[in-house]
Amino acid sequence: MSAHPIRYLPPGSTLGVLGGGQLGRMFVHAAQAMGYFTAVLDADVESPAGRVSHHHIQTGYEDPDGLARLAALSDAVTTEFENVPAVSLAALAGQCPVAPAARAVAVAQDRAQEKAHFVRCGVPCAPYAVIETAEQLAAVSADLLPGILKTARLGYDGKGQVRVQTAAELAAAWASVGSVPCVLEKMLPLQLECSVIVARGADGATVHLPVQRNLHRDGILAVTEVYEGNLPPALTSQAAAAAISIASGLDYVGVLCVEFFVLQDGSLVVNEIAPRPHNSGHYSQNACDISQFELQVRTLAGLPLTQPRQHSAAVMLNLLGDLWFAHGETAQTPPWAEVLKLPGTHLHLYGKTLAKHGRKMGHLNITAPTAQQARATALQAAALLGIAPF
Ligand code: ATP
Ligand code: MG
């Protein structure tokens, strides 16, 4: 039991977040809408969350003074990205309630620990080997090739990953990432990808959003579609049950995203977890009666969790910086006014000053009474923005 367990914090209390990116910004928006004060720790003066928070502590994530100020200002603290140093969370936990706990975040930060947890929970994941030494590299079974070498830590958006066909390519790939601890995963024949957002309270109560179907392009989430008939019902209940068992097995408090692969044969395989709201859950802001960010506020403030209800079919388009360069090397604002003429379009921009290729600038949620309408509008919006059809 933590020295500072999560307890009920009435509106008017201050909720803190480590990290000032877009996820922190949307957490801040949700918290403020419910009458909470907010504190963000991020060194970047222009960080998306820092800009909208009541308090912005501008220090690094490991700065003891910054962490002490965050703890002093906040009645409870959460995190918005998994690479927040687990030691920082542990330091905060000495002073105030922290959710998710450092221990759970540490599992999500390390692909080897993460996979061991999946195995413990009895949820199938891709066949894999941990590679930390030259001996382990030499001992890798040929069954795991072709495969994907992933650094155990600090990967995101497909970074820190190398696809390898042969043992020689594997050895070269491991050298190319600096021989840091890695996981080699067997390359699986994917039919599709999906994910589930779970929220778990300090009392163990668990709710989840509907299962999302995700399309990745170049290792980055491009499109999420969520509506009835999108996925076989047997699969969605299996994914939800697996996600809940993964959260419960960590004694998790907060919002957790569990990403899955569905293989060609229809079987479900867990890919990875993120100890926070996730890009694939953004549709919930406009298509559900409780968003993933409100769920995060509720878990942190010890508020009750009720099962979210999706009231509209939804498609989410990620808005990457590339869209600003659809017409050449000078950045141009995408045609928002034309996009927003389309019914059921909801624009979310993160307030980032500079557009860059591959940078997440915002997302567009499209809601409609039917899946067909949501898809049709999303395809029109995509065409206006220069996003390839899906
Ligand atoms: P993010 O943090 O953005 O989710 P990531 O860098 O953590 O990405 P993964 O989720 O591990 O990366 O992989 C990125 C994508 O690569 C997956 O969504 C999937 O499309 C593909 N991929 C990863 N592992 C495998 C595998 N074992 N077999 C087939 N495809 C895979
Ligand atoms: Mg992923």
Side-chain angles (χ1 to χ4, degrees):
M1 193 71 175
S2 141
H4 301 281
I6 293 289
R7 59 192 168 81
Y8 170 58
L9 298 171
S13 308
T14 301
L15 303 179
V17 57
L18 260 178
Q22 60 266 17
L23 298 175
R25 177 182 174 99
M26 292 182 275
F27 167 78
V28 162
H29 284 153
Q32 292 179 345
M34 295 174 77
Y36 290 93
F37 292 92
T38 60
V40 166
L41 187 149
D42 192 303
D44 182 0
V45 185
E46 297 192 340
S47 76
R51 282 185 154 184
V52 295
S53 178
H54 296 98
H55 305 280
H56 181 188
I57 300 155
Q58 293 168 6
T59 71
Y61 303 123
E62 282 170 284
D63 185 290
D65 177 53
L67 291 168
R69 271 156 57 205
L70 181 65
L73 278 170
S74 307
D75 295 298
V77 174
T78 190
T79 170
E80 64 114 35
F81 78 119
E82 63 261 49
N83 292 326
V84 126
V87 289
S88 304
L89 289 179
L92 285 169
Q95 296 179 67
C96 68
V98 173
R103 187 180 32 77
V105 175
V107 172
Q109 278 176 348
D110 186 300
R111 290 189 193 274
Q113 283 193 50
E114 191 177 58
K115 286 194 160 50
H117 180 68
F118 299 150
V119 173
R120 262 197 309 278
C121 295
V123 179
C125 62
Y128 74 100
V130 175
I131 301 178
E132 289 175 338
T133 64
E135 290 70 37
Q136 285 171 323
L137 175 73
V140 161
S141 155
D143 288 351
L144 294 177
L145 296 169
I148 307 187
L149 184 73
K150 303 180 178 182
T151 58
R153 306 179 70 85
L154 299 174
Y156 69 99
D157 289 347
K159 293 186 178 67
Q161 301 196 4
V162 191
R163 297 184 176 216
V164 293
Q165 302 289 329
T166 63
E169 279 181 27
L170 171 62
W174 193 51
S176 79
V177 298
S179 306
V180 295
C182 282
V183 161
L184 174 70
E185 268 180 51
K186 189 178 172 70
M187 178 74 83
L188 298 174
L190 308 190
Q191 185 190 131
L192 57 92
E193 297 186 57
C194 63
S195 57
V196 184
I197 306 289
V198 176
R200 190 169 180 276
D203 59 356
T206 308
V207 299
H208 63 88
L209 292 177
V211 182
Q212 300 108 214
R213 181 170 175 163
N214 302 323
L215 171 69
H216 293 82
R217 285 178 175 155
D218 300 326
I220 306 181
L221 182 68
V223 183
T224 293
E225 299 185 61
V226 199
Y227 41 76
E228 206 128 322
N230 197 12
L231 294 161
L235 197 78
T236 59
S237 44
Q238 202 188 338
I244 289 168
S245 96
I246 288 166
S248 302
L250 287 169
D251 199 15
Y252 195 84
V253 179
V255 169
L256 180 78
C257 177
V258 184
E259 293 182 60
F260 295 93
F261 300 139
V262 178
L263 307 188
Q264 300 280 332
D265 66 5
S267 60
L268 187 76
V269 167
V270 62
N271 172 23
E272 60 173 354
I273 57 176
R276 49 168 174 79
H278 192 259
N279 201 164
S280 63
H282 290 352
Y283 72 99
S284 61
Q285 293 173 305
N286 302 107
C288 298
D289 59 0
I290 304 183
S291 76
Q292 62 170 349
F293 300 103
E294 179 171 341
L295 290 173
Q296 188 182 20
V297 173
R298 287 188 182 222
T299 55
L300 190 62
L303 291 166
L305 293 175
T306 59
Q307 181 63 38
R309 181 178 64 86
Q310 184 179 3
H311 51 69
S312 297
V315 178
M316 188 242 21
L317 303 180
N318 242 356
L319 304 173
L320 299 181
D322 306 62
L323 305 183
W324 274 248
F325 300 100
H327 304 286
E329 276 318 292
T330 322
Q332 268 183 36
T333 307
W336 303 132
E338 282 178 67
V339 169
L340 291 171
K341 261 188 216 155
L342 302 171
T345 51
H346 313 270
L347 181 62
H348 299 261
L349 290 173
Y350 309 146
K352 297 182 184 176
T353 331
L354 207 63
K356 284 193 218 157
H357 290 282
R359 189 173 203 197
K360 290 177 181 167
M361 302 298 290
H363 62 276
L364 186 75
N365 285 337
I366 295 109
T367 55
T370 68
Q372 289 71 17
Q373 282 167 281
R375 269 190 64 82
T377 305
L379 287 167
Q380 279 177 283
L384 286 169
L385 290 166
I387 297 171
F390 44 88

